[in-house]
Amino acid sequence: MDAHLAKPFCIMNPAAGTRKEVRRVVENVLQASGADFRFHETEAAGHGYKLTQDALAAEASCVIGIGGDGTLNEVARALVGGDIPFGMIPVGSGNAFARALGVSVSPHKACEQLLDAKIKCLDVGTVEEQIFLSTAGVGLDAEVAWQYGARKGKRRGLIPYVQLTLNIVRQYTPETVRLIIDDGPEMVFCPSIVVVANTAQYGNGAIIAPGASAEDGVLDVRVIEPKSLLSKAIHGRRLFDGTIDHMPGVTCFQARTVRVEREGAGHYQFDGEALEGTAQLHFGLKEKALSVMVPRGRK
């Protein structure tokens, strides 16, 4: 058994997936491997970060996040800048970062991949005081994330998310933004979405930034202008076949820093979570800042 699996610390969001079944799968695989593991479940938003700090204090050999993109973000945030490996068992609805790295969305398969994983140092993005593993941004996607997160006690999952998105698309009014890439000249847009991507996917196979990689030392920026209903119908497939960069009204950049200036305060999203932000937002990059357990077949 590899040294990084000698004493794993598992942190699971009990609201993600089928809790008892997923936990049983993880425990069975780790027990069979001989790992001296610990298992903890989060109790509220932000608890994953605190549990990961506890894992570091307990000298865990690695920390395994079990949940959706939000849970994985909390765990990774506490590991950025250190050398303790981050493993993941994705059981959320999007699983953007895991999909980008070739991690299976089957809990059993993802566990088996961890047993034979290699360690890679990957980039993470930053927005204000937060990090993001996959994407962050402002506009329509941030509004969807905010309203979805506000649905306390309501049904979760892909179908409610799509329904909410369609409702917001019909009502959303774009605002003017000023974009500064790597301290370059100011550019003015009135987009539906400004997304800053560390990896290619939003999740669920939606490819918002084709070619974006957590290993290239840059962020990929996509500015997407509003579309008519007809244009959305014609070009909607591009979000899933990796050709969105060829859609009219999409502007692409690569950068290490991005500044977005809006007309006023508003929401911004990071890995599908949303917060209220000021009129000016700063995005950046921490290069090779996160030690990640990646499936060995991954290049």
Side-chain angles (χ1 to χ4, degrees):
M1 180 174 59
D2 289 341
H4 58 265
L5 278 171
K7 190 181 176 182
F9 199 103
C10 302
I11 298 173
M12 178 176 177
N13 177 359
T18 307
R19 179 178 65 84
K20 292 183 178 179
E21 179 182 338
V22 172
R23 178 163 181 166
R24 183 170 61 250
V25 166
V26 176
E27 289 178 333
N28 288 344
V29 172
L30 291 179
Q31 283 173 353
S33 75
D36 178 21
F37 66 93
R38 301 289 183 272
F39 213 108
H40 295 268
E41 294 186 358
T42 60
E43 298 175 357
H47 193 208
Y49 177 79
K50 173 62 169 60
L51 287 174
T52 306
Q53 291 180 313
D54 294 343
L56 296 176
E59 299 183 340
S61 60
C62 70
V63 181
I64 300 172
I66 308 166
D69 293 329
T71 300
L72 299 185
N73 180 289
E74 288 186 11
V75 173
R77 183 179 166 213
L79 296 174
V80 166
D83 57 4
I84 301 301
F86 169 51
M88 67 196 83
I89 298 173
V91 290
S93 55
N95 305 317
F97 190 59
R99 290 176 189 271
L101 300 181
V103 177
S104 175
V105 294
S106 159
H108 190 275
K109 179 62 176 177
C111 282
E112 291 183 332
Q113 289 177 322
L114 287 176
L115 298 182
D116 189 40
K118 59 185 177 182
I119 309 298
K120 300 192 80 169
C121 291
L122 302 181
D123 305 336
V124 299
T126 63
V127 51
E128 299 304 303
E129 301 299 318
Q130 308 298 328
I131 69 151
F132 60 94
L133 303 175
S134 298
T135 67
V138 300
L140 180 62
D141 59 343
E143 203 57 41
V144 171
W146 177 266
Q147 293 195 31
Y148 187 74
R151 300 169 72 256
K152 304 299 183 184
K154 294 186 179 180
R155 183 185 171 199
R156 314 292 283 181
L158 178 60
I159 293 176
Y161 187 87
V162 171
Q163 292 172 335
L164 177 65
T165 300
L166 292 175
N167 287 335
I168 294 174
V169 165
R170 287 193 288 266
Q171 304 169 9
Y172 185 74
T173 301
E175 65 174 349
T176 299
V177 300
R178 290 169 174 78
L179 201 66
I180 297 92
I181 301 291
D182 288 336
D183 297 321
E186 179 183 281
M187 296 172 285
V188 179
F189 297 92
C190 189
S192 293
I193 294 172
V194 177
V195 63
V196 182
N198 187 44
T199 63
Q201 281 201 30
Y202 268 146
N204 283 309
I207 304 170
I208 190 64
S213 169
E215 300 182 63
D216 60 7
V218 292
L219 297 165
D220 284 64
V221 184
R222 298 294 183 271
V223 182
I224 303 176
E225 297 176 12
K227 297 292 172 193
S228 68
L229 288 176
L230 177 61
S231 181
K232 289 173 184 174
I234 293 172
H235 294 285
R237 62 175 175 81
R238 294 188 181 278
L239 187 60
F240 295 92
D241 66 10
T243 63
I244 195 170
D245 289 355
H246 301 292
M247 185 171 75
V250 175
T251 306
C252 308
F253 304 97
Q254 285 190 319
R256 292 184 62 85
T257 64
V258 181
R259 190 163 83 247
V260 175
E261 297 178 353
R262 303 180 284 182
E263 296 176 340
H267 304 133
Y268 67 96
Q269 70 87 10
F270 54 99
D271 289 340
E273 303 296 314
L275 288 176
E276 183 80 27
T278 61
Q280 187 175 109
L281 296 172
H282 296 83
F283 300 79
L285 183 74
K286 292 181 180 289
E287 193 170 354
K288 299 188 183 304
L290 183 64
S291 180
V292 182
M293 300 166 70
V294 177
R296 197 165 288 277
R298 183 76 175 179
K299 292 183 180 181

